[in-house]
Amino acid sequence: MALTSPISSLSYPNDLSTLLSAGGGGIGNTASSGKSNRTTIVMKSRSCNSKKKNSSLLSKIYPCSLILRPPPNTSFSSHFNLKCGKRDASVSNIFVSVASAADVLLDKALEQVLLPEGDTWSIHKFGGTCVGNSERIKNVAEIIVKDESERKLVVVSAMSKVTDMMYDLIHKAESRDDSYITALDAVLEKHKSTARDLIDGDDLASFLSQLHDDINNLKAMLRAIYIAGHATQSFSDFVVGHGELWSAQLLAAAVRKIGMDSNWMDTRKVLVVTPTSSDQVDPDYLESGKRLEKWYSENPSKTIIATGFIASTPQDIPTTLKRDGSDFSAAIMGALFRARQVTIWTDVDGVYSADPRKVSEAVILKKLSYQEAWEMSYFGANVLHPRTIIPVMRFDIPIVIRNIFNLSAPGTMICRLSVGENENGQKLESPVKGFATIDNLALVNVEGTGMAGVPGTASAIFGAVKDVGANVIMISQASSEHSVCFAVPEKEVKAVAEALESRFRQALDAGRLSQVAVIPNCSILAAVGQKMASTPGVSATLFNALAKANINVRAIAQGCSEYNITVVVRREDCIRALRAVHSRFYLSQTTIAMGIIGPGLIGSTLLDQLRDQAAVLKEKFNIDLRVMGITGSRKMLLSDKGIDLSRWRELQSEQGDKADLEKFVQHVHGKHFIPNTVLVDCTADSIVASHYYDWLRRGIHVITPNKKANSGPLEQYLKLRVLQRQSYTHYFYEATVGAGLPIISTLQGLLETGDKILCIEGIFSGTLSYIFNSFAGTRAFSEVVKEAKEAGYTEPDPRDDLSGTDVARKVIILAREAGLKLELSDIPIENLVPEPLRDITSAQEFLQQLPQFDQDLAKRRQEAEDSGEVLRYVGVVDVVNKRGTVELRRYKKEDPFAQLSGSDNIIAFTSERYKKQPLIVRGPGAGAEVTAGGVFSDILRLASYLGAPS
């Protein structure tokens, strides 16, 4: 029958065909009851004589009551005009209620079949993507057939996008949008074409016949919704559930086509649930068990294809299981059958230790406890909804998450784990199993001295929150009771704040409460793990990782179960915080992202050293060094996971982008999963050095042989060192003074242990050391300089070495380390470049004219030799008199400074402890290998500071 008048309320009986004759029913009989003042029309399905084995709900005879109740004091005949069997009829103010459906009488001759329970059953659940088209349904059917379990029940969702399409139908009908008709035709065509691709013969004919009947019924119901402009929740649930009905029938037929007998189950006949006020449902396991036994006695089968998502209320009204309903269906069925295992098939390989979209090196977890899965799902991880876990948890039935598109992946098993054991019975390496985040939150902080010791304050706070329907994600309260802090979704925080200010207006005005503060732009980071319970140091490790990544924690919460530690951070810090803690617990303790600036002689040598040693460091010392970027002055090479150092020259040439220092730094610091970042400046560029302060402020460690920052303007240097000491970032520059020699660290060690430095004297230039070690006998100074240049000891222009400026910078660095506040201009320098040659443009011309000035240095050498001495070019830090000098000095031949060879450096520390005999550091002081080695040593020192084994 068609309804053409407005309907003020409408609900439906158990069998849709008894509601609307347009769907194929006819009036069987009518009866009236004076007691209830209602007229009952019992209708019978058009397909009541179906003899098919797998007949659906609509293909059986179900006596059912349709109650048409006229308004008070109005007779039925005067109020209703029903034209049965015709397409149009007018009905006004129909109130429809449901009478309990009479049980289908079983054939007395039917043999009762007992429902087998236990390990012989395995439960499978396939989501919408798994049955998205005919090809995927075939794949599912093959998986079912290959399962060697004695008995199996398969729960199936609607085909991909179909549930959304069904909701869209309801929305269009409620909006009185005629396009719901064409939209329903699209649903019909989707399933018709799938069926024709998938099955044939009687199964195809039966399915298409049932499909057309269902579509006709839906058209009539949607027409009623269109007229009323509203659909009850029951109507919506009934319409939406058809997607599962159709996919279950298709899959059952596909399984039969392969050669395995199977029945399909409309779970509305079996699962009984009670809706709750919180938009959830509570399963009635006792009643569901009885109905399952009854269903199985009628349809005994070793392979059952069941609909997911849908169920019935105790009044036999179709409903749904709400969020993650298909998973919930599978878990309930697993509990009812006491099954061996429930397998949830999806499109991911299992449960990850963190969101792989945010942490690219997240790992698949082989096992999770029920509680761990529960905690992670609450915080948004891609695992089961907590209600899915409850039914199987009662009977210790494991749930396995598998990827239907990657059958080789073993997936994740969720089960009861013994404390402290993993799947091999060995001790777990990490107490934290996984990390999850929730974004778009705000913190609400209610504080005031008037809260302390006042009963009911927390109740009043959260009562006000409840009144506005907000969801509290996390609560934190100090033991002083001075403040209560909690997190709510950001979209709800305005209403929450207004409700609290209204509720506590008197207390705020009186000063008992100081404020209701809102902190927006927050995210929650949760660490979850069963082994966290009673394991000392987990929290310390977590917060240490956050601190080293320069992350500020705004609030903290931990339950007494110790399965979860929750922190609130700024939204913009969330991904970096997630990567930091994940790296700390899952990667090496010292996974470091590196950016190499200046792949020249020293930089390229360092990269080659990293290439040769990286694997050994990772294997033996758990130090994971990853070069994420290399930049020169013209081109840069970037990588998301680490550059292949065996090919970096080739890759930079072929794939390098135009150099952009800021873009380079952003990539190395934030475009990957590694929380610890170090920039290694292998240039001698003052512009690059000027960025150190900003890099350290952003939490980036800096290592360099570049002397420009520490010997530059004093004010900038002092500002840099203050920042370094106040932050968790490290600034290492050992190679700025003695290449690979431990000069800076030795000086710092003396000072930190309370020694007082009196004087630092040294040959700091490997180039000048070589020159004056070779400047002996009758050799000319210009000849030795030329030899040093040809051997690669000098800069391209030897005047850069001979000027003494480089030595003066090293003197300034050491002087400042010793506490002197000197500028480079305060250091008197003896320049070895003859004054007439200082302004010559060409280095080649300089070398050609240098012999003209050999006589002066030859004379000084001779004077020294006549006194049993040698010439050495030295830098001196006179700490007592607070000054420094760079000059050519004479030393006795037995002095350590006179006994050097090659390009060796030597530094003598005279202190209160080492007054009679200075502490001497001696060794190679020049060459790319040595300098790069000094930088590499600083990198390893950084790794040690970050937690690497010593």
Side-chain angles (χ1 to χ4, degrees), residues 64-273:
C64 195
S65 299
L66 173 65
I67 299 97
L68 306 177
R69 182 177 298 156
N73 303 319
T74 305
S75 67
F76 179 85
S77 58
S78 65
H79 192 76
F80 297 103
N81 176 28
L82 298 179
K83 299 180 180 179
C84 302
K86 299 182 180 179
R87 290 199 57 81
D88 57 319
S90 62
V91 183
S92 178
N93 296 326
I94 300 179
F95 289 76
V96 183
S97 63
V98 181
S100 297
D103 291 339
V104 177
L105 296 177
L106 296 175
D107 186 347
K108 293 182 180 181
L110 180 63
E111 179 182 357
Q112 294 294 320
V113 179
L114 295 177
L115 175 67
E117 294 179 353
D119 288 347
T120 60
W121 286 98
S122 65
I123 310 296
H124 295 266
K125 179 265 174 179
F126 294 93
T129 55
C130 299
V131 290
N133 53 46
S134 57
E135 193 62 36
R136 291 184 179 178
I137 294 175
K138 289 178 185 176
N139 292 340
V140 169
E142 290 173 358
I143 291 173
I144 295 169
V145 171
K146 291 177 182 178
D147 179 5
E148 297 179 354
S149 302
E150 184 178 346
R151 298 180 176 86
K152 45 216 168 192
L153 180 135
V154 179
V155 175
V156 63
S157 299
M159 292 177 66
S160 180
K161 307 297 183 184
V162 167
T163 299
D164 291 339
M165 295 170 74
M166 302 303 282
Y167 275 120
D168 185 56
L169 291 173
I170 297 167
H171 174 72
K172 282 181 164 61
E174 285 184 311
S175 304
R176 294 193 168 95
D177 180 351
D178 289 333
S179 65
Y180 78 86
I181 298 174
T182 55
L184 183 59
D185 289 340
V187 173
L188 171 65
E189 288 305 315
K190 180 180 180 72
H191 288 85
K192 281 175 64 177
S193 62
T194 302
R196 287 170 177 154
D197 287 345
L198 191 65
I199 55 178
D200 50 30
D202 291 343
D203 274 338
L204 175 61
S206 175
F207 174 79
L208 293 178
S209 174
Q210 185 62 58
L211 177 65
H212 281 286
D213 284 348
D214 291 341
I215 293 295
N216 287 335
N217 284 334
L218 289 173
K219 281 184 178 178
M221 177 167 282
L222 291 168
R223 176 63 180 168
I225 294 171
Y226 177 92
I227 294 169
H230 171 71
T232 65
Q233 185 62 49
S234 298
F235 269 40
S236 296
D237 288 348
F238 187 86
V239 171
V240 170
H242 276 75
E244 275 71 18
L245 294 171
W246 296 326
S247 61
Q249 294 173 62
L250 284 170
L251 181 57
V255 170
R256 286 194 296 272
K257 185 175 180 179
I258 294 178
M260 176 179 285
D261 188 39
S262 68
N263 283 339
W264 80 275
M265 173 194 289
D266 180 350
T267 49
R268 295 175 302 182
K269 296 181 180 180
V270 173
L271 296 187
V272 179
V273 297

Side-chain angles (χ1 to χ4, degrees), residues 458-470 495-496 499-501 503-504:
S459 175
I461 291 172
F462 295 110
V465 176
K466 177 177 179 287
D467 290 343
V468 297
V496 168
L500 289 171
E501 288 173 353
R503 172 65 180 79
F504 293 102

Side-chain angles (χ1 to χ4, degrees), residues 448-460 477 480-481 504 512-513:
T449 56
M451 294 172 57
V454 179
T457 302
S459 175
Q477 178 179 353
S480 66
E481 304 181 32
F504 293 102
R512 295 194 305 277
L513 289 185

